[in-house]
Amino acid sequence: MGDEAVSPINHISEVEDFDEELLNDLKAALEPFSLEDPMITIYTVPDPIRNVDSDAYGSRYMTLAVDTTYDLDLIRGDETVRSHALRHLHSILTRNPALSLNDYLLAMNELKDQIKSCHYIDITIDFQRLVWVVINSCFIVDVLLMFYEGRLTASVDSTCASIYFQYMWIDFLLVENQQPFFVLEKVFDLAVVDKSKYPSLVDIALFFFDHFVERDLQKPVMESKSIHHLLHLVHHQLLPSDPLQSFNLKLQPSRKLFFNKVKDAIPLHHSPPPPLLESSQTKQLFITKPIPSAKRLEEVGIKFKKRDGTGFLNVCFDNRKGVLEIPRLYVHSNTKILLRNLIAWEQCHPAAGAYFTGYAIFMDYIVNTDKDIEILVQSGIIEHSLGTDDDVAAVFNGLSTNLVHTGLEDEFLPYICKELNKYCHNHYNIWWAKLMADYFSNPWTTISIGAAIILLILTFTQTFFSAYSYFRPP
């Protein structure tokens, strides 16, 4: 007897154990991904990154995240924090007497779909969350305005002269605390009646952060329509004016031509993406090999030098002279938090590039102990207000843990690491460094060797003329 024919399945409902409810749930879950041009810019820090240093991503003063779990009080913290937030909300409302709290709520309600689309996780902008958006955005904008006006003092708000003030600015730059910049601009437009008395909100924000973070003041400022949030603004402005110049100076002519082509294609008002190869070229991924610590690099003859200008990416290595130039970095109590959140933003948002990621991996490589920090401090590369060099080393140690960095061979990190490793494995460089360390490490040794050479020359000269006079008497 032949096998029984298997009837074809013509409808999904005919599949064994068909679950229509499960299918509908799956289709509903896929709907957000069908949207054109998704504008996701606000993220929750992934657990592998958060677990390395969870304290770096949590609010120290006030939670500003729209997607947070909150209670009916809306403000996390004690009565002082709650009073502080409401004080700034009231300040915003008094700037334009023609508008009430209802007007701000209605304005945010019109933007709720855009606000929702900015978040990586699915959130519902209900009325309670709408109130949360208004309180937080008014708080941020009023702090920026009052700081610009010179009125953010203890006479206006007693907390501004306390430790809370230094907590506020770093809270504004946490990945999970971000408010869409268009929300902040809407509050600014509603609150400020006479726009002629103020620059743009972008300039006001930069004026605020310039008191806490060093940046290249000559770099063109981003257009407001290109800014996702305050962290994005600061991230972009901290990059050097030319993100490729850091290692373009020492490249071969063919590489210089390649980078000049790439540089011309990068618009200044956007966070510059990683360099793209021409369509005719193959994208070569390069695995970054670790480099020795600063102490070991110094032992093989590499000299450390502070590089003029600002910008974390301006690291340059001259393999002919063995000079590694790194821009000055002032390390304070919030440096690690700032770096980790800049890096987390890059790890979550691919279009942001991997500039601080590369910098973090590089610094984690060269800094292991306080001896490495001592070298960087003596070179003027690092200045700090922390207790000891060990405390500074702790800022960089583990900074690159669980980070993903795969790039082209011609990008910043792979290029620098490749050239440094090549220099370290050159036997001539090792021999020369050992010679200098053993015989020319201090002036007395140098003088002794010089005197010995002079004595040897004089002895040789005397012997030569003695022999010459013997064989060729006058």
Side-chain angles (χ1 to χ4, degrees), residues 12-286:
I12 188 64
S13 61
E14 299 175 8
V15 175
E16 185 178 359
D17 296 330
F18 172 71
D19 189 333
E20 185 175 5
E21 183 179 354
L22 176 60
L23 179 60
N24 291 335
D25 289 343
L26 177 58
K27 290 180 178 179
L30 288 172
E31 286 181 5
F33 299 98
S34 64
L35 298 176
E36 296 183 1
D37 191 24
M39 293 298 295
I40 296 173
T41 58
I42 300 176
Y43 302 87
T44 300
V45 178
D47 286 341
I49 297 177
R50 179 191 298 278
N51 293 340
V52 176
D53 186 359
S54 59
D55 292 339
Y57 309 102
S59 300
R60 303 203 297 168
Y61 182 62
M62 178 176 172
T63 299
L64 302 169
V66 175
D67 61 343
T68 189
T69 301
Y70 50 84
D71 54 28
L72 294 177
D73 289 334
L74 293 178
I75 305 298
R76 177 193 143 191
D78 56 23
E79 182 64 25
T80 301
V81 180
R82 183 174 184 275
S83 174
H84 195 188
L86 296 179
R87 186 187 301 268
H88 285 287
L89 173 61
H90 179 264
S91 175
I92 283 289
L93 295 176
T94 57
R95 288 178 179 273
N96 187 353
L99 299 180
S100 67
L101 177 59
N102 291 351
D103 295 307
Y104 286 84
L105 289 168
L106 287 172
M108 291 303 116
N109 187 61
E110 293 178 359
L111 298 174
K112 68 178 183 181
D113 289 337
Q114 291 177 255
I115 296 172
K116 180 179 178 180
S117 67
C118 291
H119 288 78
Y120 182 75
I121 65 173
D122 188 25
I123 60 174
T124 300
I125 309 293
D126 55 16
F127 183 74
Q128 187 175 350
R129 194 166 259 128
L130 205 63
V131 172
W132 178 256
V133 171
V134 170
I135 291 177
N136 288 343
S137 56
C138 288
F139 171 78
I140 294 172
V141 172
D142 197 54
V143 167
L144 298 180
L145 284 172
M146 292 181 70
F147 191 87
Y148 178 79
E149 297 163 345
R151 298 194 301 116
L152 196 62
T153 62
S155 60
V156 177
D157 190 339
S158 60
T159 61
C160 291
S162 70
I163 193 173
Y164 296 116
F165 184 62
Q166 66 170 323
Y167 288 168
M168 281 193 297
W169 78 266
I170 196 66
D171 274 359
F172 287 177
L173 297 179
L174 300 181
V175 169
E176 297 179 346
N177 264 0
Q178 296 311 300
Q179 298 284 328
F181 197 76
F182 61 80
V183 170
L184 303 182
E185 280 202 308
K186 174 57 72 173
V187 172
F188 177 76
D189 291 338
L190 294 174
V192 177
V193 179
D194 188 356
K195 299 293 193 298
S196 63
K197 294 182 179 180
Y198 298 90
S200 67
L201 183 59
V202 177
D203 292 327
I204 293 174
L206 290 177
F207 177 81
F208 175 79
F209 289 114
D210 282 345
H211 288 74
F212 310 103
V213 181
E214 293 184 70
R215 66 181 178 94
D216 185 356
L217 298 178
Q218 304 302 317
K219 182 175 182 178
V221 177
M222 295 182 75
E223 297 179 5
S224 61
K225 64 182 181 181
S226 302
I227 301 172
H228 301 316
H229 39 63
L230 291 178
L231 179 60
H232 179 216
L233 171 63
V234 171
H235 175 277
H236 180 269
Q237 296 303 135
L238 283 178
L239 296 177
S241 298
D242 181 358
L244 302 179
Q245 71 178 5
S246 55
F247 50 98
N248 189 25
L249 298 177
K250 312 302 179 186
L251 296 178
Q252 299 298 324
S254 59
R255 286 187 174 182
K256 287 185 179 181
L257 177 62
F258 163 74
F259 278 111
N260 287 335
K261 290 180 179 179
V262 173
K263 180 175 61 176
D264 294 338
I266 298 179
L268 288 177
H269 61 277
H270 286 295
S271 181
L276 299 177
L277 290 173
E278 297 177 358
S279 58
S280 60
Q281 295 176 288
T282 303
K283 186 172 183 178
Q284 301 287 338
L285 288 180
F286 185 81

Side-chain angles (χ1 to χ4, degrees), residues 169 212-213 330-336 338 383-386 395:
W169 78 266
F212 310 103
V213 181
Y330 175 64
V331 180
H332 50 78
S333 58
N334 284 324
T335 299
K336 180 168 69 171
L338 176 63
E383 298 177 14
H384 69 89
S385 58
L386 303 183
V395 172

Side-chain angles (χ1 to χ4, degrees), residues 233-393:
L233 171 63
V234 171
H235 175 277
H236 180 269
Q237 296 303 135
L238 283 178
L239 296 177
S241 298
D242 181 358
L244 302 179
Q245 71 178 5
S246 55
F247 50 98
N248 189 25
L249 298 177
K250 312 302 179 186
L251 296 178
Q252 299 298 324
S254 59
R255 286 187 174 182
K256 287 185 179 181
L257 177 62
F258 163 74
F259 278 111
N260 287 335
K261 290 180 179 179
V262 173
K263 180 175 61 176
D264 294 338
I266 298 179
L268 288 177
H269 61 277
H270 286 295
S271 181
L276 299 177
L277 290 173
E278 297 177 358
S279 58
S280 60
Q281 295 176 288
T282 303
K283 186 172 183 178
Q284 301 287 338
L285 288 180
F286 185 81
I287 304 301
T288 302
K289 294 183 178 179
I291 56 177
S293 66
K295 182 66 176 176
R296 174 59 181 156
L297 292 175
E298 187 181 57
E299 289 174 354
V300 298
I302 291 177
K303 304 176 186 66
F304 289 84
K305 180 181 177 182
K306 179 182 71 173
R307 190 170 191 187
D308 295 331
T310 57
F312 288 93
L313 194 61
N314 268 328
V315 179
C316 178
F317 177 59
D318 188 338
N319 54 16
R320 294 165 295 181
K321 299 179 180 179
V323 177
L324 179 60
E325 296 184 45
I326 306 174
R328 185 189 74 88
L329 175 65
Y330 175 64
V331 180
H332 50 78
S333 58
N334 284 324
T335 299
K336 180 168 69 171
I337 298 175
L338 176 63
L339 287 175
R340 285 196 176 278
N341 279 273
L342 289 168
I343 294 164
W345 159 244
E346 290 183 343
Q347 292 288 293
C348 294
H349 195 73
Y355 305 108
F356 290 94
T357 301
Y359 178 80
I361 295 174
F362 172 76
M363 291 301 291
D364 199 3
Y365 282 158
I366 68 172
V367 173
N368 289 331
T369 68
D370 60 327
K371 300 297 183 183
D372 303 311
I373 294 296
E374 183 180 350
I375 293 172
L376 299 179
V377 169
Q378 291 175 349
S379 305
I381 294 171
I382 284 184
E383 298 177 14
H384 69 89
S385 58
L386 303 183
T388 64
D389 288 347
D390 279 327
D391 295 330
V392 183

